[in-house]
């Protein structure tokens, strides 16, 4: 079958999507600016189903790549659903007065937690205001004095009895500052030390013995003095305790009356009362006024001891919570217990329990990033256990199990939450493979599409979002040409002439950057020129590496021809992805053929630079050559194929079409046009298959040809199935329109060989022969000659 270059070349209008002007005009005149999410009907249905299934196990995995609007859609749908659900109850931790290491839980209605905390704090303030002033009561002071008087009377009676005996023996008793002493009497006058020393030895010894006898009597009279003091202290303590209880009774009565229907609160207040009485008894003074700092410390002590710790506060009409935890560590997700130091030891209490994202989302929805969740130690297993058991437990033993610390174990609270995991497609299938429980807990999948349908309502939704973004930046109008250019960008992101990219965040990013250029130009209308300026600016900012490659080719550092003929050499097209930069660049593919039996050798694979898919593409060449040419004789040849000046790893089979063309050129010694570059993969039947990155590849070779000067002979050869993916820039389209550059599409190897060599390939006849002077006939003849040389040489041996 005869081929023609014109039949394989694409016209300029085939290089980009064809937009419908009526749709554009309708979207431009659209006045409704109500924001609406674009597309993803399948994901929306899955989200609504998961929300409606209010049963265990129907958690949701949102599958898709970043920038597809996953979070925006999930949050929007959840917010609407949460507004219709009842506000969950509040949970708080209370001090366990029987065992402070096991804090108790209390469930309250929405909004009641804050009120309870306020009332208990007010109770503490009233206690601090009441004491020690309450001890100034006359009744208390009278009873206190009576107790003290009883002690004094017993003490005085004991001393009087001793004093009477002392006087009978001519000795006087003195009491000064609680110290009792004796002095002898001579002529009714007590002696001082100097006078006592003037007495004779017999007199002094007499008085010594007499005082010793009196001290013995005194000790016998005061032997119960410590017990008297203990009795007084105990009586004073009981008096203070009774006074405190009497004062606290009306304070607690008012609080208990308010919570008469809350049994949990009443139980807590009942347990609190004796401990509050004890703390007031031990801490608050009777008379002295404390310093300011001491007063603050005492108030803190009372607050920390008795005020409940409400984990999460809810307003009565808030609806269900929707929580996103960006960093799902164990503590951020399950909560933690904080510790403080005192005297070199760690201590904590119920007030230092801090909630996690699961506490905040309890009764509602929790959104998590699966890529950040799974690497966290023990978090995944703990999350599964919480979802299965329906209980939320803060594990503290593993973190602070040290000898000099106080360990508390908060009681578990019931958990009712729907978890939404957001992650990639690969991660979803990996978890399914390695975790058998995953499908039991995450029964619903929301699969986000990479594309949006090119329809009128899609354009309307896009226009709304674009206008809202523009209004935030101070621009009011979007021209039709500007909207068209933004759509071309979305088509390019999707690499499809009939589908828009679902990564609408990229379009909005371009809008923001284009608005910057419009503002710089003093325009209140966003036009195509501003969009082009934004694209050009981004290309300039990120294009240093691509320009460096182009410069190396131009300077001869990388050998690429864009004119002339060469045997066994083809310009292949590659795409490089470095960071956020993606660009196409040509690469020379060469082949050599000689007599031998080693077959087609992939040099990249031999040196371990070629990865699996690239090696697969080279191996397919053997199948193609054998099936087409060596049906009647063994395929015997030695050939080497290499991608020249490539020093990194190579993957993908998009070079296999170029490799087979280079190989056939080397077999037949027919030169190949260096003005054309080739991309595409082939199967064993010689059919050309689609490849990725076709736009970047074409534009990469075009930039080289443009730099060297367009001759009208240059162009690229791509798979016909990739025509649907063409969204080329204006420079390429203009060059094609002017006849200076060409885009050829091929369906099989024969069409590519005809474009590259100009020789008719020829079709195989019924007997397996090809017409003379055709390319395939030359290949068959040369392969037969090589087989005869190799096999003949073997027979001679």
């Amino acid at each position: 079958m005869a081929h023609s270059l014109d039949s394989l070349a694409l016209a300029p209008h085939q290089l980009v999507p064809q937009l419908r002007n009526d749709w554009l005009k309708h979207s431009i005149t659209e006045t409704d600016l109500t924001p609406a999410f674009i597309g993803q009907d399948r994901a929306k249905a899955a989200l609504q189903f998961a929300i409606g299934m209010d049963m265990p196990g129907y958690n949701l995995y949102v599958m898709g790549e970043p920038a597809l609007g996953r979070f925006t859609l999930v949050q929007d749908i959840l917010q609407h659903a949460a507004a219709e659900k009842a506000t969950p109850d509040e949970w708080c931790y209370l001090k366990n007065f029987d065992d402070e290491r096991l804090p108790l839980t209390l469930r309250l209605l929405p909004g009641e937690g804050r009120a309870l905390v306020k009332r208990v704090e007010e109770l503490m303030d009233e206690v601090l205001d009441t004491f020690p002033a309450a001890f100034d009561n006359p009744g208390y002071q009278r009873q206190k004095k009576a107790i003290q008087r009883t002690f004094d009377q017993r003490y005085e009676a004991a001393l009087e009895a001793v004093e009477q005996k002392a006087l009978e023996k001519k000795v006087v008793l003195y009491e000064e500052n609680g110290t009792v002493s004796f002095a002898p009497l001579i002529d009714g006058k007590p002696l001082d030390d100097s006078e006592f020393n003037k007495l004779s030895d017999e007199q002094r010894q007499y008085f010594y013995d007499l005082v010793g006898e009196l001290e013995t009597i005194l000790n016998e009279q005061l032997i119960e003095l410590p017990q008297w003091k203990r009795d007084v202290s105990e009586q004073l303590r009981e008096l203070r305790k009774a006074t405190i209880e009497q004062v606290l009774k009306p304070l607690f009565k008012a609080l208990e009356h308010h919570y008469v229907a809350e049994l949990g609160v009443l139980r807590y207040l009942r347990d609190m009362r004796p401990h509050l009485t004890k703390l007031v008894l031990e801490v608050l003074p009777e008379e002295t006024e404390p310093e300011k700092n001491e007063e603050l410390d005492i108030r803190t002590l009372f607050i920390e001891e008795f005020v409940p710790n409400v984990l999460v506060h809810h307003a009565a009409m808030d609806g269900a919570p929707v929580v996103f935890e960006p960093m799902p560590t164990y503590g951020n997700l399950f909560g933690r217990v904080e510790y403080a130091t005192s005297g070199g030891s760690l201590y904590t209490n119920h007030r230092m329990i801090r909630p996690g994202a699961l506490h905040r989302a309890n009764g509602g929805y929790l959104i998590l990033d699966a890529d950040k969740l799974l690497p966290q130690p023990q978090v995944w297993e703990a999350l599964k256990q919480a979802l299965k058991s329906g209980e939320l437990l803060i594990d503290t033993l593993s973190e602070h199990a040290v000898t000099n610390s106080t360990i508390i174990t908060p009681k578990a609270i019931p958990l009712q939450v729907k978890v939404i995991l957001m992650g990639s497609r690969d991660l979803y299938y990996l978890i399914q493979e390695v975790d058998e429980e995953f499908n039991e807990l995450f029964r619903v999948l929301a699969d986000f599409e990479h594309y949006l349908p090119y329809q009128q309502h899609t354009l309307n939704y896009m226009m709304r979002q674009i206008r809202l973004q523009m209004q935030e930046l101070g621009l009011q109008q979007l021209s039709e040409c500007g909207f068209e250019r933004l759509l071309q960008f979305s088509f390019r992101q999707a690499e499809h002439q009939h589908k828009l990219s679902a990564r609408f965040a990229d379009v909005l990013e371009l809008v923001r950057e284009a608005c910057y250029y419009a503002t710089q130009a003093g325009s209140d209308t966003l036009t195509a020129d501003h969009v082009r300026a934004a694209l050009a600016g981004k290309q300039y900012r990120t294009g240093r590496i691509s320009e460096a490659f182009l410069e190396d080719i131009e300077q001869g550092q990388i050998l690429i021809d864009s004119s002339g003929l060469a045997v066994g050499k083809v310009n292949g097209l590659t795409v490089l992805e470095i960071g956020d930069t993606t660009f196409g660049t040509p690469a020379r593919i060469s082949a050599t053929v000689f007599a031998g039996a080693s077959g087609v050798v992939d040099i990249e694979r031999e040196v371990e630079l070629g990865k699996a898919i690239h090696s697969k593409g080279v191996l397919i060449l053997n199948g193609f050559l054998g099936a087409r040419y060596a049906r009647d004789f063994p395929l015997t040849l030695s050939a080497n194929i290499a991608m020249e000046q490539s020093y990194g790893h190579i993957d993908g089979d998009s070079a296999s079409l170029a490799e087979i063309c280079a190989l056939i050129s080397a077999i037949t010694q027919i030169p190949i046009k260096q003005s054309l570059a080739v991309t595409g993969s082939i199967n064993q039947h010689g059919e050309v298959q689609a490849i990725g990155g076709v736009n970047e590849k074409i534009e990469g070779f075009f930039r080289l040809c443009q730099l060297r000067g367009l001759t009208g002979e240059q162009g690229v050869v791509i798979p016909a199935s990739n025509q649907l993916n063409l969204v080329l820039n204006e420079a390429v389209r203009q060059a094609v329109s002017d006849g200076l550059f060409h885009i050829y599409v091929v369906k099989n190897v024969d069409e590519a060989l005809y474009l590259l060599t100009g020789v008719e390939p020829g079709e195989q006849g019924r007997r397996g022969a090809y017409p003379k002077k055709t390319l395939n006939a030359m290949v068959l003849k040369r392969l037969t000659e090589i087989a005869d040389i190799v096999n003949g040489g073997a027979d001679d041996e």
Side-chain angles (χ1 to χ4, degrees):
M1 179 181 69
H3 297 85
S4 75
L5 296 179
D6 292 339
S7 65
L8 300 177
L10 295 180
H13 70 272
Q14 296 176 292
L15 307 181
V16 287
Q18 299 303 304
L19 303 179
R20 291 189 53 170
N21 292 330
D22 56 332
W23 287 2
L24 292 177
K25 292 179 180 178
H26 183 275
S27 298
I28 290 290
T29 57
E30 176 81 18
T31 58
D32 184 9
L33 291 183
T34 305
F37 194 84
I38 305 171
Q40 305 297 356
D41 293 335
R42 189 191 309 272
K44 290 178 185 176
L47 280 164
Q48 291 165 352
F49 174 76
I51 292 171
M53 293 295 292
D54 195 11
M55 300 171 62
Y58 282 88
N59 299 294
L60 179 70
Y61 187 97
V62 179
M63 183 168 68
E65 303 306 319
L68 294 179
R70 298 176 303 169
F71 183 76
T72 302
L73 178 61
V74 168
Q75 193 174 47
D76 184 57
I77 291 179
L78 291 182
Q79 291 288 1
H80 283 86
E84 299 177 359
K85 290 190 67 175
T87 305
D89 292 337
E90 296 178 344
W91 286 93
C92 59
Y93 278 107
L94 310 171
K95 180 174 181 177
N96 186 343
F97 297 106
D98 295 329
D99 188 351
E100 64 180 19
R101 294 172 301 176
L102 302 173
L104 303 174
T105 59
L106 177 63
R107 188 171 194 158
L108 297 170
L109 294 175
E112 288 297 319
R114 197 183 304 274
L116 177 61
V117 168
K118 183 179 179 181
R119 290 189 175 95
V120 175
E121 288 180 347
E122 290 174 349
L123 173 64
M124 298 301 110
D125 290 334
E126 289 177 351
V127 169
L128 294 175
D129 292 340
T130 303
F131 297 96
F135 297 125
D136 293 334
N137 183 282
Y140 172 81
Q141 293 296 332
R142 185 171 55 255
Q143 294 181 64
K144 179 181 177 182
K145 290 177 180 178
I147 294 171
Q148 189 66 44
R149 187 165 53 250
T150 301
F151 170 80
D152 293 341
Q153 289 173 352
R154 298 177 71 177
Y155 182 73
E156 292 295 335
L159 290 183
E160 286 178 3
V162 176
E163 185 178 19
Q164 185 66 33
K165 291 186 177 183
L167 291 174
E168 292 175 359
K169 298 181 180 292
K170 304 299 183 179
V171 175
V172 65
L173 182 147
Y174 289 100
E175 181 186 10
E176 185 177 0
N177 297 327
T179 301
V180 178
S181 60
F182 297 93
L185 288 173
I186 300 294
D187 298 330
K189 178 182 176 182
L191 301 180
D192 58 18
D193 290 342
S194 60
E195 293 174 336
F196 181 76
N197 290 331
K198 294 178 181 180
L199 296 177
S200 64
D201 293 340
E202 291 79 5
Q203 289 176 315
R204 288 199 302 269
Q205 185 61 43
Y206 169 77
F207 281 113
Y208 281 144
D209 294 339
L210 186 59
V211 169
E213 181 182 348
L214 291 172
E215 286 179 346
T216 301
I217 296 173
L218 177 64
N219 290 335
E220 290 176 353
Q221 291 292 327
L222 298 180
I223 192 171
E224 294 183 356
L225 179 63
Q227 180 62 40
W228 298 345
K229 290 184 177 180
R230 286 195 296 271
D231 291 343
V232 168
S233 297
E234 185 62 30
Q235 290 174 24
L236 290 175
R237 183 180 180 85
E238 289 297 325
L239 175 61
R240 291 185 67 204
K241 182 179 179 182
T243 302
I244 294 170
E245 290 177 343
Q246 184 179 5
V247 173
L248 292 181
K249 187 175 182 179
L251 301 181
F252 272 90
K253 186 175 182 179
L255 199 56
E256 290 171 347
H257 178 72
H258 182 82
Y259 288 103
V260 66
E262 296 287 346
L263 295 180
V265 178
L266 291 177
R267 187 182 302 112
Y268 178 63
L269 294 176
R270 181 198 64 195
D271 296 339
M272 180 202 301
R273 185 182 297 187
H275 292 273
L276 179 58
T277 302
K278 180 181 178 181
L279 188 61
V280 172
L281 187 64
E282 295 175 351
V283 174
L284 294 181
E286 280 192 44
E287 299 175 359
T288 58
E289 188 70 23
E291 296 291 334
K292 183 76 172 178
N293 292 338
E294 292 180 358
E295 183 178 350
L296 292 176
D297 292 340
I298 291 175
R299 185 180 189 278
T300 301
L301 174 62
F302 277 76
I303 294 296
E304 292 296 317
E305 192 77 6
F306 299 110
V307 175
N309 176 17
V310 182
L311 294 178
V312 182
H313 294 282
H314 297 296
M317 302 302 292
D318 276 353
V322 178
V323 177
F324 170 62
E325 176 51 58
M327 185 52 64
T329 61
Y330 194 97
N332 289 348
L333 202 58
F334 292 91
R336 57 185 174 274
V337 177
E338 294 180 349
Y339 283 74
T341 59
S342 176
S345 298
L346 296 173
Y347 75 92
T348 187
N349 57 36
H350 72 285
R351 295 272 300 169
M352 300 174 76
I353 300 172
R354 299 292 177 256
L358 280 169
H359 294 94
R360 298 194 302 273
N362 198 5
Y365 308 95
L366 176 62
I367 307 172
L368 299 172
D369 188 337
D371 293 284
K372 294 180 180 178
L373 171 72
L374 294 176
Q376 300 294 334
Q378 302 179 351
V379 173
W380 176 243
E381 293 299 326
L383 177 61
K384 291 193 300 180
Q385 180 61 33
L387 293 176
K388 287 188 293 183
S389 65
E391 287 188 340
L392 180 51
L393 177 66
I394 301 177
D395 179 17
T396 60
L397 296 178
S398 59
E399 297 182 11
H400 300 285
V402 291
T403 56
N404 64 336
S405 65
T406 301
I407 303 297
I408 67 173
T409 305
K411 186 179 178 181
I413 64 175
L415 177 66
Q416 185 177 4
V417 66
K418 193 171 289 292
V419 177
I420 295 90
L421 277 184
M422 300 176 62
S424 64
R425 190 176 304 274
D426 292 340
L427 184 59
Y428 174 76
Y429 294 122
L430 176 62
I431 302 174
Q432 270 193 329
E433 182 178 350
V434 301
D435 194 333
E436 296 179 354
E437 296 176 321
F438 177 70
N439 286 335
E440 298 178 8
L441 296 173
F442 291 84
R443 300 177 185 271
V444 185
L445 171 66
D447 191 355
F448 272 67
E449 298 282 353
H450 291 82
Y451 307 105
L452 298 174
Y454 177 48
Q455 298 172 351
Q456 178 69 75
H457 72 273
T458 304
L459 301 189
N460 293 342
Y461 291 152
M462 291 181 68
M463 176 58 71
R464 295 180 193 177
Q465 301 286 7
I466 292 171
R467 280 184 172 171
L468 289 171
Q469 182 70 73
M470 290 173 57
Q471 288 180 0
E472 292 181 7
L473 300 173
L475 270 69
Q476 300 298 324
Q477 299 296 326
L478 174 65
S479 68
E480 186 174 333
C481 64
F483 187 35
E484 181 177 349
R485 191 64 191 84
L486 290 172
L487 290 177
Q488 293 285 7
F489 172 79
S490 185
F491 280 117
R492 175 64 177 261
Q493 292 293 93
E495 289 192 328
H496 203 287
Q497 293 187 355
H498 302 312
K499 295 179 181 179
L500 295 161
S501 172
R503 293 173 58 95
F504 191 65
D506 294 340
V507 176
L508 293 180
E509 178 184 346
L510 179 59
V511 170
R512 289 191 291 269
E513 296 177 5
C515 286
Y516 165 80
Y517 287 96
T519 304
Q520 293 292 101
S523 174
D524 61 353
T525 301
L526 190 66
T527 67
D529 291 337
H530 302 136
V531 178
R532 292 190 190 96
L535 290 171
K538 186 169 186 177
Q539 174 61 35
Y540 178 75
R541 294 191 300 272
T542 62
R544 188 190 63 81
I545 298 177
S546 63
E547 291 178 4
F549 268 86
L550 198 61
E551 185 177 343
D552 288 344
I553 296 174
E554 180 61 20
Q555 292 177 352
Q557 300 295 318
I558 300 176
L559 301 178
I560 299 291
D561 294 329
S562 57
S563 62
L565 301 171
V567 174
K569 298 178 182 178
V570 175
N571 290 328
L573 295 174
T574 63
V575 172
L576 297 181
E577 295 185 17
I578 304 175
D580 61 347
T581 302
T582 302
F583 60 93
T585 182
R588 175 178 287 178
I589 297 172
S590 63
T592 58
V593 177
F594 49 92
S598 57
V600 179
V601 176
D602 177 15
I603 293 178
E604 312 298 335
R605 183 179 64 178
E606 294 299 315
V607 299
E608 298 183 354
L609 287 179
K611 293 188 177 180
I613 298 178
H614 177 264
S615 299
K616 173 188 175 183
V618 175
L619 292 174
I620 286 176
L621 304 185
N622 273 314
F624 170 74
L625 291 175
R628 171 168 283 198
Y629 302 110
R631 293 183 178 179
D632 299 326
F633 62 91
L635 179 63
T636 309
L637 83 162
S638 290
N640 291 333
I641 295 178
M643 187 169 290
E644 296 181 357
Q645 294 182 281
S646 172
Y647 308 107
H649 290 285
I650 300 172
D651 201 9
D653 61 351
S654 63
S656 57
L657 176 60
E659 288 169 342
I660 192 63
C661 293
L663 184 60
I664 288 178
S665 171
I667 291 173
T668 61
Q669 293 298 297
I670 295 176
I672 286 177
K673 299 175 183 178
Q674 301 301 294
S675 58
L676 296 178
V678 183
T679 184
S681 69
I682 67 168
N683 59 26
Q684 294 186 94
H685 300 286
E687 297 170 324
V688 179
Q689 304 167 137
I691 45 82
V694 63
N695 294 294
E696 288 81 4
K697 292 177 178 179
I698 294 173
E699 291 170 0
F701 187 66
F702 173 78
R703 285 196 300 271
L704 174 61
C705 297
Q706 188 180 42
L707 181 64
R708 291 177 172 177
L710 297 173
T711 63
E713 299 294 327
Q714 295 123 332
V716 294
V717 179
I718 65 172
S721 52
N722 275 124
Q723 179 183 339
L724 196 63
N725 307 117
L726 293 179
V727 189
L728 295 169
N729 62 36
E730 296 176 15
V732 176
R733 301 202 306 270
Q734 187 61 48
V736 172
S737 180
D738 295 340
L740 299 176
F741 196 76
H742 308 279
I743 312 293
Y744 299 104
V745 293
V746 296
K747 296 179 180 178
N748 52 59
V749 172
D750 287 343
E751 292 178 346
L753 287 171
Y754 174 72
L755 288 170
L756 294 171
T757 63
V759 180
E760 187 68 36
E763 291 188 4
Q764 194 172 27
R766 294 181 179 178
R767 298 181 180 181
Y770 292 97
K772 294 182 179 180
K773 297 184 179 181
T774 61
L775 185 61
N776 285 324
M778 298 178 191
V779 175
L780 181 59
K781 179 181 178 183
R782 180 57 182 158
L783 289 177
T784 304
E785 292 173 354
I786 293 175
D788 289 342
I789 292 172
V790 175
N791 294 330
D795 292 341
D796 292 342
E797 290 181 3

